[in-house]
Amino acid sequence: MDNIIRTDYTEIMQKSYIDYAMSVIVARALPDVRDGLKPVQRRTLYDMLQLGVKYDKPFRKSARIVGDTMGRFHPHGDSSIYESLVVMSQEYKKGMPLVEGHGNFGSIEGDGAAAMRYTEARLQKITQEAFLADLDKDVVDFVPNFDQNEEEPEVLPVRVPNLLINGAEGIAVGMATSIPPHNLVEVIEGAKLYMKNPNITTEELLGTMQGPDFPTGGVIVNKDDLLSIYKTGSGKIKVRGKVVLEKTKGGKEALVITEIPYTMVGAGIGKFLNDVANLIENRVTTDISDISNQSGKDGIRIVLELKKNADAKKIEHMLYKKTKLEDTFGVNMLTVADGKPEVLGLKAFFEHFTKFQFEITTRKYRTLLKEANKKKEIQEGLIKAYDMIDLIIEILRGSKNLKQAKGCLVSGNTEGIIFKTKSSEKRAKALSFTEAQATAILEMRLYRLIGLEIDTLEKEYKKTLKDIAHYEDILTNEKTMRNVLLKELDGFKREFGVPRKTVIENAQEAVYEETFEETELVVLMDRLGYIKTVDVSTYERNKEAADNENVHIIRCMNTDRLCLFTDIGVLHSLKILDLPYGKFRDKGIPIDNLCNYNSAEERLLYVEAGQNIYEKKLIFATKFGMIKVVNGSEFLVSKKAVVATKLLEEDRVLFVEEVREEKPQVIFKTENGAFLRFLVDEIPEKKKTAIGVRAIAMAQGDFVEQGWFVAGQNSETIMYKEKEIALSRIKLGKRDGKGVKLRL
């Protein structure tokens, strides 16, 4: 009979979710502080080494690499592996690319890489020498792969501070990492400083390691904030593109963007061009005559041609304020340290890096010492054998088999062996070679008996003794080991170091004051919620079509704000300048994209421009029969969304209308067929935060269904129970009355 374990459901959910979260954090999304790699990157590089796709070998198809990695080490789909391979090859994303790509591996402007069957790849030289070397020397632990059929390294023995050099980005469960790339030379110098003095301060480290070095260049403008960022491991870096002023034909000038912020890599360039085009179309600036993207193999070159006498510095500041030419890079140096996620400051990172370097170096030289001692043992045996080669030959000739000969060499057992003389047998009994030495002697080739060969062997033996002394010195003397590490780091710096690309300074805040000519526009919104603005003359020329195609047509100034009242009692407000300006037949933009209005959950009741509203009085009526008048000046707000009226629970606004002298009466109709007519003057004026007063007394479960504003004497009719009814039949009553039911 099965055992039934009773437990709290919340405990199971909590444990399962934590297990899942930790799996994603440690095994998928975050890099390890030791090698700066995520599992998919580590496995891809290791697989490339296993396939022999080295920097000095021919390229191999990316599909071959991806398939082999997925089949042996990373069973999570080929797209994640190929994407990792592509990113590791892109020099505009990585401070130090780890893979050399051949073919279309995408572009800085956001073009995707070609399919993996078309591209080829191989390891970069630094990857092979600083990431994958010494794996055969037991420098790191190997763990079983996903199906227990092979082993993979738990971490790569990376000899440079890769996490800082290449940076990292990743989204885990409830946390994310964002580490900017840095300059290899500066990071190595920082690591050396820490190795020499673990008590060094972050300020002293930043004296050598200035800050991030983005592969796209640019200018970091908040240098003073870097100390806090590197102490805590989190903060915000402001980075600008590099802009130069060039003279063009005809005495005009052009602003040329030669470097972009790192955050603009990819689709950001296209968005920047669109943003500048929108600034021109919306007349935020009239000083840019043309914009062109002339970027190519030589780098970024975006040209903004200026009109004569344009203020270039003002336009540059406008670009910083209105586009992503100045952007923020959020730093969160979250990484897996000692098996758990941790946000590290700069000094803490170097502490982990140094500890790892000492660990893998210790393991490396222990292995080398072990191998050198074995080599020494064999060399001593061979030298000793050379001095008694005649005896050994006599033992071999007199032995019946290999086992008998080896036994004599190791333990002096001469039983069954035929010797020429008793003295030879006596000397044989004194032999005491080790197992390894005896094996080497028996496998020795005859040419090793040549005189010159023994000289070579003795030289090799002396070198082995020297190596052993060196290895022992490294393993027993911390200073010697540190010097070895420093020398290795210097070697990587000399061979792979590149000049810094990003400038770091304390720049002044970009100041830009919008100045534009106040003009009259017409706002058009159609039934689907698409909105745009056009010139008054454009509207007048197309008035008939505009009136037929749009539900909201509002004349206003370009300095106004557009106010949208919805049935959930919210006022959405946005600048007229934020609306797309264009031709009459332009489609416009959905209003949902411009403000917090949600067409799926809200219904627009009233739309008007701010200056037109502020001098009016608006009537709010709700489904539960509440009503009030609000002065329009209360809606003079700058926020994108505010409460326009307070509502009871589950109540909705039925309509919003302005108070008009020509329509001084209001009529309500409830779902149960009660009609009430009363004067607008009976409606009290309240604040926008008030619920209002009761307009009609309704039976329980009844609610207001419709409402009309009418003149004193009107001939308006409505359809009621499939019959046409004149509103004039409804007698004038008082607010908060029960109303009457019409007899048909």
Side-chain angles (χ1 to χ4, degrees), residues 402-422:
L402 185 63
K403 183 179 179 181
Q404 198 176 51
K406 188 173 183 180
C408 181
L409 293 174
V410 172
S411 59
N413 184 3
T414 59
E415 185 178 349
I417 300 176
I418 301 172
F419 291 91
K420 291 181 178 179
T421 63
K422 288 291 184 180

Side-chain angles (χ1 to χ4, degrees), residues 217-434:
V219 182
I220 292 173
V221 297
N222 59 332
K223 182 178 180 180
D224 286 346
D225 295 337
L226 294 181
L227 178 59
S228 172
I229 291 171
Y230 284 113
K231 277 185 176 180
T232 63
S234 61
K236 293 181 178 179
I237 294 173
K238 288 184 180 179
V239 58
R240 291 177 181 172
K242 187 175 181 181
V243 182
V244 296
L245 187 65
E246 293 184 2
K247 296 288 184 181
T248 61
K249 295 179 180 178
K252 296 181 181 179
E253 295 179 327
L255 286 176
V256 181
I257 300 164
T258 57
E259 295 175 6
I260 59 173
Y262 186 63
T263 52
M264 200 188 282
V265 169
I269 295 178
K271 186 178 185 307
F272 170 75
L273 297 172
N274 287 334
D275 288 345
V276 175
N278 288 335
L279 292 174
I280 298 170
E281 289 181 9
N282 293 334
R283 299 185 178 180
V284 176
T285 179
T286 57
D287 290 331
I288 300 176
S289 60
D290 190 30
I291 178 172
S292 59
N293 185 6
Q294 301 174 12
S295 305
K297 292 181 179 179
D298 296 330
I300 294 293
R301 183 177 171 82
I302 300 172
V303 181
L304 281 70
E305 296 182 13
L306 307 182
K307 294 181 180 178
K308 275 191 176 181
N309 302 319
D311 188 339
K313 184 58 69 174
K314 179 182 176 182
I315 296 172
E316 182 181 345
H317 283 200
M318 179 196 70
L319 295 175
Y320 292 146
K321 283 292 187 181
K322 295 287 187 179
T323 72
K324 294 292 185 180
L325 191 61
E326 177 178 300
D327 204 3
T328 299
F329 184 95
V331 177
N332 188 35
M333 297 175 69
L334 178 69
T335 181
V336 177
D338 297 326
K340 62 182 185 295
E342 185 178 350
V343 177
L344 299 178
L346 184 62
K347 189 175 174 182
F349 167 77
F350 281 130
E351 180 184 353
H352 283 280
F353 173 75
T354 302
K355 178 182 175 184
F356 181 58
Q357 295 307 304
F358 273 92
E359 178 187 329
I360 60 177
T361 304
T362 298
R363 294 180 63 163
K364 172 183 176 180
Y365 283 101
R366 279 179 183 166
T367 302
L368 290 175
L369 179 61
K370 185 178 178 181
E371 292 174 352
N373 280 321
K374 287 182 180 178
K375 191 175 181 182
K376 171 195 168 196
E377 178 186 347
I378 292 171
Q379 288 171 338
E380 287 176 342
L382 292 177
I383 292 171
K384 183 180 176 182
Y386 181 80
D387 291 335
M388 55 180 69
I389 193 64
D390 293 334
L391 175 61
I392 291 172
I393 292 173
E394 190 173 342
I395 293 171
L396 294 175
R397 293 182 67 180
S399 299
K400 295 178 181 178
N401 52 53
L402 185 63
K403 183 179 179 181
Q404 198 176 51
K406 188 173 183 180
C408 181
L409 293 174
V410 172
S411 59
N413 184 3
T414 59
E415 185 178 349
I417 300 176
I418 301 172
F419 291 91
K420 291 181 178 179
T421 63
K422 288 291 184 180
S423 62
S424 295
E425 184 176 1
K426 184 178 180 181
R427 288 168 59 204
K429 287 182 178 180
L431 294 177
S432 59
F433 289 99
T434 65

Side-chain angles (χ1 to χ4, degrees), residues 120-132:
E120 297 176 320
R122 65 183 177 190
L123 293 170
Q124 291 276 13
K125 185 177 182 182
I126 189 171
T127 314
Q128 194 169 319
E129 295 184 356
F131 283 64
L132 298 164

Side-chain angles (χ1 to χ4, degrees), residues 505-521:
E505 62 185 23
N506 283 315
Q508 291 184 344
E509 180 78 16
V511 178
Y512 173 71
E513 295 181 2
E514 290 189 43
T515 57
F516 45 82
E517 183 182 351
E518 190 174 20
T519 58
E520 188 177 9
L521 299 173

